[in-house]
Amino acid sequence: MDKWKRNLFILYVGQFLAMASTSSITPFLPLYLQELGLTDPKKVLFWSGMIYGANLLTAFLFSPLWGRLADKYGRKMMLVRSGLGMAVTITLMGVATSPLQLLLLRLVNGVLSGFGPAAVALTATNTPKERSGYALGILHSGAVAGTICGPLLGGLLADHFGLREVFFYTGISIFAAALIVIFGVRETFEKKEKSAERTDMLQDFKLIVARKPMASMFVSSAILRAAMIGTLPLIPLYVQQLATGSDNVVVLAGITSAAMGIANMITAPHLGKLGDRIGSHRVFVYAVFGAIIFAVPQAFVHQLWQLIALRFFTGACIGGMMPSMNVLVRQYAPAGMESRTYSYVNCAVLLGGLAGSLGMGAVASGFGLPMIFIMMAALLLISIIWMRVKVFPHIAQREDPAALAGGQELIK
C-alpha cells in the first residue's frame, strides 16, 4: 500500500474515534450538570451554554498557534499532542465535582483540541495533488461518521454504565486514536532551516490573507458553516411539529438529523474523486446549488418522511462542499504554511458555526421554524455569489484555455 493511502486509512479511523468521542458527550452536558447538583432549570441552561461555548472559544484562540507549530515541527506531532491532551482532559471531566471544574476542563480541552485540522493538513500535504480531492473526501467522511455515531454510542454507554463513565470511555477512545497515529502514520516532513526573518502569528495571518484569494475562501468557509450547522439544533423542534402526537419524537429527531450525515458520509469520497477529474471548484458549484434546491422545500413539508428525504439529499450535496474547499485552500496556501492556513480556516469555521446557531435561533424565534431553511438557502446562495466574484476569477487564471472555456460556462 502506498504511504499516503496507509496514512489516509489510519487517519480515517483516528478522525472517526476523535469525532465520535467528542460528539458523544455534548448532548448529555445538561444532564451531567444536574448530576453535579444543579436543580434550577435556568441555571442548567446558563451553565450548559457557558460550558459548550468555552470549548469553542479556546479552540478558536489557540488554533493558529498549533498551526504555526505544525508547520515548524510536523503535523503528526500536533495530532499526537491533541489526541493525548484531549484524552486526559475529557477523562478528568468524569471526576469533576462542580460546574466550575467542568467549565475549566472544557476551556483546557479547547486549548488542546485540533485533531481534525491537523489531520486535514497532514492529508493535504502528504497526498499527491491529483488525488487530494479523493483523500480529503474520505477524511471528511470519517469525521461525519464519527459525529453521527457519537451521540448514539454515548447514549448507549450512559444507559448501561452512567454519565460519568461516558467521559472515561471517551478518553480511552481518543487515547486509542493518538496511539494509532503514533505507530501507524508516516509523515513526509522537511524541517525548514531557520530564517533570519522571524514572524509572529499576526504577521503569519497577514501573509496568508495577502495570498489571493485566501481571505475570500475564509469568508466563504464561515458562511458555509453557518448554513450547514445553524439548522441542526432546531431540527428536533421541527420534527416535534410534524410528528404531533407521536411518542417517539426523540428517536424520529435522531433519524432526521442522521439522514443528512449519512448521505454526507456516502457522497464525500465520490465527489472528492470527481473533483480530482473535473476540478474541485466545479464540484463546489454543483454541490451548493444542489443543497439550495433541496433546502427550500424543507420549509413547506407537511409529512416527516418528506423532511427526512430532503435532509438526506441535502446531505448528499453538502458532501462536496468542505472537501472541495479544503482542496482549494491547499492549492493557494503559501508554501510551508499549510497547517497555519488550515488553522485559520478552522477559526473561520468555528465563527461561522457559532454565528449560524445564534442567527438561526433568532430567525426561528422571530419568523417561525420553517424560515430557517429559507435562511440556509440564502446563505448558500451568498456563498456561491461570493466565490463567483472573489475566488473563481483567480482559479480561471490558473487553468488552460480549453478548461477555462468550460469553467466559465459552468460558473455562469
Side-chain angles (χ1 to χ4, degrees), residues 208-224 284 325 329 345 348 382-383 385-394:
I208 290 170
V209 297
R211 183 74 174 268
K212 295 182 179 180
M214 193 59 66
S216 300
M217 286 194 281
F218 289 169
V219 174
S220 187
S221 297
I223 297 173
L224 285 177
F284 181 88
M325 182 66 74
V329 169
V345 171
I382 291 171
S383 175
I385 292 173
W386 179 265
M387 291 285 285
R388 168 65 181 89
V389 174
K390 295 292 186 178
V391 178
F392 290 164
H394 295 279

Side-chain angles (χ1 to χ4, degrees), residues 24 53 122 164 168 193 217 222 244 258 293 297 329 342 359 371 408:
S24 68
L122 194 151
R164 289 187 180 273
F168 301 146
E193 296 182 3
M217 286 194 281
T244 304
I293 291 171
V329 169
Y342 279 113
M371 283 302 297
Q408 290 296 333

Side-chain angles (χ1 to χ4, degrees), residues 313-356:
F313 289 116
T314 303
C317 297
I318 288 176
M321 291 184 193
M322 283 312 297
S324 296
M325 182 66 74
N326 285 331
V327 172
L328 295 176
V329 169
R330 172 68 182 90
Q331 293 173 359
Y332 289 94
M337 300 183 69
E338 293 85 1
S339 293
R340 274 168 281 187
T341 304
Y342 279 113
S343 72
Y344 284 113
V345 171
N346 187 48
C347 288
V349 165
L350 289 171
L351 279 179
L354 181 60

Side-chain angles (χ1 to χ4, degrees), residues 50-259:
M50 287 279 290
I51 289 170
Y52 180 76
N55 192 83
L56 297 178
L57 174 63
T58 49
F60 170 77
L61 293 175
F62 281 84
S63 185
L65 172 63
W66 300 132
R68 180 181 176 87
L69 293 177
D71 284 330
K72 187 174 182 180
Y73 298 108
R75 289 94 195 179
K76 178 179 175 178
M77 183 178 293
M78 292 300 105
L79 280 167
V80 175
R81 186 259 329 147
S82 174
L84 295 179
M86 289 194 298
V88 172
T89 55
I90 290 178
T91 301
L92 290 176
M93 290 178 197
V95 296
T97 58
S98 69
L100 180 59
Q101 290 179 4
L102 189 59
L103 174 64
L104 293 175
L105 286 169
R106 288 281 292 180
L107 285 168
V108 175
N109 188 69
V111 171
L112 298 174
S113 65
F115 193 96
V120 170
L122 194 151
T123 301
T125 54
N126 282 259
T127 300
K129 286 189 176 181
E130 65 275 10
R131 303 300 302 277
S132 59
Y134 167 75
L136 290 171
I138 288 284
L139 195 65
H140 178 76
S141 176
V144 173
T147 303
I148 295 171
C149 295
L152 175 61
L153 295 173
L156 293 174
L157 289 171
D159 184 56
H160 284 81
F161 303 104
L163 290 174
R164 289 187 180 273
E165 283 70 16
V166 174
F167 292 96
F168 301 146
Y169 286 108
T170 295
I172 292 171
S173 296
I174 298 182
F175 181 70
L179 287 181
I180 66 171
V181 170
I182 292 173
F183 295 107
V185 171
R186 299 290 181 268
E187 180 184 13
T188 301
F189 178 76
E190 295 181 4
K191 189 172 182 179
K192 298 181 70 175
E193 296 182 3
K194 290 185 178 181
S195 174
E197 182 181 356
R198 301 184 65 179
T199 60
D200 56 28
M201 284 190 287
L202 179 60
Q203 291 171 319
D204 288 342
F205 178 74
K206 290 180 178 179
L207 183 60
I208 290 170
V209 297
R211 183 74 174 268
K212 295 182 179 180
M214 193 59 66
S216 300
M217 286 194 281
F218 289 169
V219 174
S220 187
S221 297
I223 297 173
L224 285 177
R225 188 68 172 182
M228 292 187 293
I229 297 299
T231 62
L232 295 183
L234 302 172
I235 290 299
L237 298 177
Y238 199 47
V239 171
Q240 191 175 41
Q241 287 186 4
L242 295 173
T244 304
S246 174
D247 296 329
N248 298 315
V249 172
V250 175
V251 175
L252 294 174
I255 294 172
T256 306
S257 299

